[in-house]
Amino acid sequence: MAKVITIPATQSRYTKTFISGKKKRRVAGYARVSTDHEEQKKSYEAQVDYYKNYIKAHEDWEFVSVYTDEGISATSTIKRNGFNKMVKDALDGCIDLIITKSVSRFARNTVDSLTTIRKLKEHKVECYFEKENIWTFDSKGELLLTIMSSLAQEESRSISENVTWGQRKRFADGKVTVPFKRFLGYDRGEDGNLIINEEQAVIVRKIYGMFLQGLSPFAIAKKLTKQGIPTPGGKTNWSGSTVKSILTNEKYKGDALLQKVYTVDFLSKKKKVNKGEVPQYYVEHNHDAIIEPFVFHIVQEQMAVRQMGTNRQSSVNIFSSRIKCGDCGSFYGSKIWHSKDKYRRVIWQCNHKFDGGRKCSTPHLYEETIKELFLKAVNILVIEKSEIIANFHAIKEQLFNIDKLKIKQSQLQKEQNMMEEEIKTQLDEINNIIKEKQEKREQIGKFLATLEQQNCIITEFDKNLWYSLLDFVTVFNKEDIRFTFKDGTEIKVYRDNNY
C-alpha cells in the first residue's frame, strides 16, 4: 500500500506570514496623497509614520522602506517616481510584500493596476490592500482586485468630469484666468481677474513695437536675450515661438478666448488644441488692454502676410512687405548695389523680376525715393483731410452698420442646441463679418485721428506715420506709383527723373 506523507503548511493562509522558520518576509509600504494642500501633507506624513510602525510590529516581517509620492494624481503611474522605484526594487528581488492603504491609493487606472500586480506576482511579490482586505496571492484576490480597480477608475472618471464641467462652466460665465507666474504683462487682481503689471507691460509694448518696425519674432527674441530681459517663465533665452505667442495673444488687447485647448481623456491627461471639438468662449473687453486693439489688428495682418509662400513677407526693413509690383503682384525686396565701394546704395525691386522667362517691367526704387514719394502722398492727404474725414462720417453708418447681422446672429444662436453643420457655418461667417467690420471701423478711426493731427506740410519722413497711415504701395511704372492708405484712399504720385 502507498504511503502518504503530509507536508505541513509554512505560511498563514490569510496573512501570508511564515508559520515556522527563520526567514522573514521583506516588506515595504506605499503612501501617496494626490494634492499638495496643507491638510493632505499631514495625511501623507501620517501614512508614512503608520507603515513604518505597522511593518516593524510584525516579528516575521523585515522592514525595507516606505515608498512615497506627494502631490501627484494616481490616474497614471508614469510620473510617480516613488511608485516606479518601489516596483523596480520589487522586481530586482528586494521586496516580498507591498502594503498600501487601498486599491485607489495604488492606481485608479485598471490597466496600470492589473498589469503591475501581475508582473509582481510573476516575481513572487505580493500586495496587500488594507481597506479592502485583499491579498493578491489569495485565489479571490484578482477577481476582487479587478472589481475594485474598475470602481476606482470610475471614481477618477467622475472626478475628472466634475472638474471639466466646473472649468467649462467658468468659461461659459466668462471667467478668465491665466498662468500668472508665466504670463508676461498681467498680475492676478483681488477679484481674480487680470490687472496690468506696468513694469512687464513695457516689455510687451516693446515687442509689438519692434515687430511693427519690421523685425521678425526670431530677431526680436535675439534682441531680448542680448538685453538680458527674462522670458515670461523667468529664463534667460527667448525663442521665436515665445515672441510669436505674445504677438498673437488676444488678451493683450483686453479680450480673452477661453478653452483654446482641452483634455482628450482623463487617463492620459493628454491635451489637444481645440479646433472645434468642444465649445469656445470669446470675452470682449474683459480687462484693461496693454496693446490698443487697432495696433493688435495691424500686427495680426502682418503676421498673416509674413508666412511662407510665393508672396512671402520679409521682416528686415520698414519697407519690407509694403511695396507691391504692379505687373505680377509680388512684393519688392531690397538689393545692395556697389556693396564694396563708395557708391554703395540700397535699391528696391520686384522679388520675382527675373523669374523664369518673364521679366517685370516695373522700375527699381531707391530708399530715399520711397521716402520722398511717401511725403508727397501724405501731404496730398493732409490737404484733402477735411474732405476725407467728412466723407467717412457721411458713409460710416451705412458702411459699418451691423444691426441686421446682429439680428441674424441672435437667430442662429438660438438654434445652437440643435445646430447642424450648415447653421454653424452661417453663424461663423456672420461672426467673422461682424468682427471684421468692427476692426476695420476702429482701424479707420485711428487713421483719421492721426491724420487730423497733421496741421501743416510734412517735410521729413516719419516712420510712425508710415506705419499708422499707409496700407501698401503699388508700383506700375515711374509715372504711376500709388499709395493706398488704411481708409482705402489711393493717391497716385510720380517719380522725379533724378531718382
Side-chain angles (χ1 to χ4, degrees):
M1 178 179 288
K3 182 180 179 181
V4 178
I5 301 172
T6 301
I7 302 174
T10 59
Q11 291 185 12
S12 168
R13 180 177 177 185
Y14 299 104
T15 65
K16 302 303 175 184
T17 57
F18 288 92
I19 295 172
S20 61
K22 295 182 179 181
K23 185 178 179 182
K24 293 184 177 182
R25 299 189 80 186
R26 294 164 298 176
V27 184
Y30 177 67
R32 179 188 61 78
V33 292
S34 56
T35 72
D36 53 7
H37 294 164
E38 188 62 35
E39 60 271 21
Q40 292 285 41
K41 286 184 179 179
K42 292 179 181 178
S43 169
Y44 170 82
E45 292 166 0
Q47 286 185 59
V48 173
D49 189 55
Y50 169 78
Y51 284 121
K52 281 183 180 178
N53 295 329
Y54 181 78
I55 295 170
K56 289 180 179 180
H58 289 72
E59 293 182 359
D60 50 352
W61 287 359
E62 179 185 334
F63 175 74
V64 176
S65 178
V66 177
Y67 295 83
T68 60
D69 284 309
E70 185 176 3
I72 298 175
S73 168
T75 309
S76 172
T77 60
I78 294 174
K79 297 181 180 179
R80 292 162 61 192
N81 296 330
F83 180 89
N84 293 330
K85 176 70 165 59
M86 176 183 69
V87 172
K88 182 180 184 302
D89 288 348
L91 298 181
D92 288 343
C94 302
I95 301 170
D96 300 312
L97 173 64
I98 296 170
I99 298 174
T100 191
K101 183 179 178 181
S102 68
V103 176
S104 63
R105 293 292 90 187
F106 197 73
R108 286 200 179 106
N109 181 330
T110 306
V111 175
D112 276 351
S113 181
L114 294 181
T115 301
T116 303
I117 288 167
R118 283 172 179 160
K119 190 184 295 182
L120 291 170
K121 285 179 72 174
E122 289 174 3
H123 288 74
K124 312 299 182 190
V125 180
E126 186 171 22
C127 296
Y128 173 54
F129 302 101
E130 286 187 282
K131 184 179 176 181
E132 297 84 9
N133 192 29
I134 296 175
W135 295 85
T136 55
F137 282 181
D138 186 5
S139 59
K140 298 180 293 184
E142 185 150 335
L143 175 61
L144 289 170
L145 189 66
T146 302
I147 295 171
M148 297 306 297
S149 293
S150 297
L151 291 173
Q153 181 165 318
E154 285 307 308
E155 178 191 351
S156 182
R157 183 194 302 277
S158 177
I159 292 171
S160 176
E161 287 175 352
N162 288 338
V163 170
T164 300
W165 181 89
Q167 288 177 334
R168 291 181 182 172
K169 180 66 169 62
R170 288 194 293 274
F171 290 154
D173 292 342
K175 293 182 179 178
V176 179
T177 185
V178 297
F180 288 99
K181 291 182 179 179
R182 295 180 289 107
F183 195 85
L184 193 68
Y186 287 101
D187 293 327
R188 187 194 301 274
E190 292 182 2
D191 61 351
N193 204 354
L194 287 70
I195 58 171
I196 295 176
N197 179 316
E198 290 298 342
E199 185 178 345
Q200 295 179 2
V202 171
I203 302 170
V204 175
R205 295 187 188 104
K206 183 175 186 175
I207 290 170
Y208 276 76
M210 285 193 286
F211 181 81
L212 289 174
Q213 288 172 12
L215 295 179
S216 68
F218 178 74
I220 294 170
K222 286 183 67 176
K223 275 185 172 289
L224 295 172
T225 300
K226 188 175 181 180
Q227 292 169 9
I229 296 172
T231 69
K235 297 181 179 179
T236 55
N237 292 323
W238 285 76
S239 67
S241 60
T242 300
V243 172
K244 187 175 180 180
S245 71
I246 291 173
L247 290 169
T248 55
N249 196 317
E250 76 292 334
K251 292 181 181 67
Y252 291 113
K253 67 167 181 169
D255 296 348
L257 177 62
L258 307 180
Q259 200 151 250
K260 293 179 181 178
V261 297
Y262 69 99
T263 303
V264 177
D265 68 78
F266 77 99
L267 288 178
S268 67
K269 301 289 187 184
K270 182 181 178 182
K271 292 187 179 296
K272 183 178 182 295
V273 175
N274 184 4
K275 296 182 179 179
E277 293 90 344
V278 295
Q280 289 185 312
Y281 306 92
Y282 195 89
V283 186
E284 295 181 330
H285 314 302
N286 176 73
H287 51 274
D288 291 335
I290 292 176
I291 303 299
E292 290 185 49
F294 167 74
V295 176
F296 184 85
H297 178 70
I298 293 175
V299 168
Q300 304 323 299
E301 287 184 336
Q302 287 291 308
M303 291 288 285
V305 294
R306 289 187 190 183
Q307 303 302 314
M308 295 298 293
T310 304
N311 213 14
R312 175 175 174 262
Q313 267 207 331
S314 175
S315 311
V316 295
N317 189 286
I318 62 170
F319 302 123
S320 299
S321 311
R322 290 297 184 100
I323 306 171
K324 293 182 180 180
C325 172
D327 278 2
C328 70
S330 298
F331 284 115
Y332 267 43
S334 62
K335 184 178 180 181
I336 298 175
W337 282 0
H338 301 286
S339 60
K340 296 182 179 179
D341 59 40
K342 64 180 181 179
Y343 301 106
R344 184 183 189 276
R345 295 191 78 174
V346 177
I347 64 114
W348 290 77
Q349 68 181 23
C350 174
N351 281 327
H352 301 282
K353 187 177 180 69
F354 302 108
D355 283 2
R358 184 176 178 273
K359 179 180 178 181
C360 293
S361 61
T362 50
H364 66 264
L365 298 174
Y366 297 121
E367 288 195 346
E368 54 265 38
T369 306
I370 300 169
K371 294 178 180 179
E372 289 290 340
L373 295 175
F374 175 69
L375 287 176
K376 282 186 180 183
V378 169
N379 284 323
I380 293 172
L381 199 69
V382 170
I383 293 169
E384 298 177 355
K385 73 175 183 178
S386 297
E387 184 179 350
I388 291 170
I389 293 171
N391 288 340
F392 172 73
H393 287 302
I395 65 168
K396 67 179 181 181
E397 291 305 322
Q398 179 181 353
L399 194 61
F400 299 111
N401 189 287
I402 58 174
D403 290 345
K404 291 183 179 178
L405 290 168
K406 286 283 189 181
I407 293 171
K408 183 63 175 175
Q409 181 191 50
S410 179
Q411 291 173 344
L412 290 171
Q413 285 174 337
K414 289 177 181 177
E415 300 177 39
Q416 275 187 311
N417 291 336
M418 49 184 178
M419 185 174 287
E420 298 177 357
E421 189 62 34
E422 185 178 347
I423 297 174
K424 184 179 184 302
T425 302
Q426 288 180 36
L427 184 58
D428 288 343
E429 288 176 357
I430 288 174
N431 289 338
N432 288 334
I433 293 170
I434 290 173
K435 185 178 179 182
E436 286 173 6
K437 280 179 175 285
Q438 290 172 331
E439 289 178 342
K440 189 66 176 177
R441 181 170 185 158
E442 190 173 1
Q443 175 181 319
I444 294 176
K446 186 74 173 178
F447 163 85
L448 294 176
T450 304
L451 179 60
E452 201 163 13
Q453 294 172 3
Q454 310 307 315
N455 296 318
C456 57
I457 297 299
I458 300 165
T459 57
E460 292 185 5
F461 179 81
D462 185 340
K463 67 180 181 182
N464 292 323
L465 288 180
W466 173 268
Y467 282 121
S468 60
L469 297 179
L470 184 70
D471 197 353
F472 58 88
V473 184
T474 308
V475 181
F476 291 95
N477 55 64
K478 66 179 182 179
E479 302 294 333
D480 188 358
I481 299 172
R482 303 176 195 177
F483 287 74
T484 302
F485 294 90
K486 292 186 183 296
D487 69 330
T489 299
E490 183 180 273
I491 295 178
K492 179 179 175 181
V493 294
Y494 64 93
R495 187 177 68 164
D496 292 336
N497 290 331
N498 58 318
Y499 290 113

